[in-house]
Amino acid sequence: LHAAHEGAMTQTQRTWLRYGGNALMLVWLALGVSVVLFYNTAMGVVYILIIALSFVTIAYSMCSKCPCRLESCAHIWLGRLTELLPGREPGEYTSWDGLGSVLYLVGLHALPQFWLWRHKALFALFWALSLGVFLMLYFAACPSCKNQYCPLKLRFGDHDVQN
């Protein structure tokens, strides 16, 4: 599926899909924040802080080691976020870096579940948006990423851009 997908998309289509993935991410996280804030303002603020910390965590653990983070970041703004963090040498990722990825995902998903579960439609929408973000970024950002150390590239194969 992925190899067939690569040849079917132009660079312009990938760019629109990548920006769409980031916009979808904002909608997804705004849904989680809105539901939590509706029921518990203090926990809503905590969730906003967790989201911010989660993005710093993924930027440090994964993006700061990417060799193309400043010139050609396929994920758009995460590479720029690394400019604010301590520098790291590009190279293979460690299990600690992998733990940072897990903490990022748990941070974005865990807290709102208690309140989302009260509204099954919002719960389903939250997870559908999350999956949509992953798929959009995977199929749009990953094919144009030149990070040979990326665990997704190593796991799912090379994603060279096909123009």
Side-chain angles (χ1 to χ4, degrees):
L1 175 66
H2 197 283
H5 168 78
E6 281 184 22
M9 291 185 73
T10 66
Q11 184 63 36
T12 302
Q13 289 168 319
R14 257 190 228 104
T15 300
W16 278 101
L17 192 57
R18 201 171 1 169
Y19 282 99
N22 282 301
L24 191 62
M25 182 182 294
L26 290 175
V27 172
W28 161 51
L29 294 174
L31 172 64
V33 168
S34 299
V35 169
V36 177
L37 281 171
F38 180 80
Y39 285 103
N40 189 321
T41 304
M43 290 306 291
V45 171
V46 167
Y47 184 48
I48 291 168
L49 294 174
I50 288 172
I51 290 170
L53 184 59
S54 293
F55 280 104
V56 170
T57 300
I58 194 68
Y60 182 75
S61 60
M62 299 304 283
C63 303
S64 66
K65 290 182 84 170
C66 178
C68 52
R69 67 187 175 91
L70 299 178
E71 292 84 33
S72 61
C73 178
H75 296 278
I76 305 169
W77 59 274
L78 283 171
R80 295 293 174 212
L81 178 59
T82 64
E83 293 179 27
L84 306 173
L85 302 173
R88 297 177 74 196
E89 288 296 316
E92 293 185 20
Y93 293 94
T94 67
S95 46
W96 288 108
D97 297 323
L99 178 61
S101 296
V102 170
L103 291 175
Y104 163 75
L105 291 171
V106 169
L108 297 181
H109 290 87
L111 190 111
Q113 299 310 303
F114 174 75
W115 292 280
L116 285 166
W117 188 249
R118 295 178 181 185
H119 305 280
K120 303 302 187 269
L122 293 179
F123 177 83
L125 180 60
F126 181 87
W127 283 98
L129 289 169
S130 174
L131 179 61
V133 167
F134 172 78
L135 292 174
M136 287 181 79
L137 293 177
Y138 179 74
F139 285 112
C142 289
S144 60
C145 180
K146 295 172 180 44
N147 182 1
Q148 69 270 22
Y149 304 110
C150 178
L152 286 177
K153 180 176 279 196
L154 296 173
R155 171 69 176 94
F156 297 110
D158 197 358
H159 300 299
D160 289 336
V161 176
Q162 304 290 319
N163 288 322

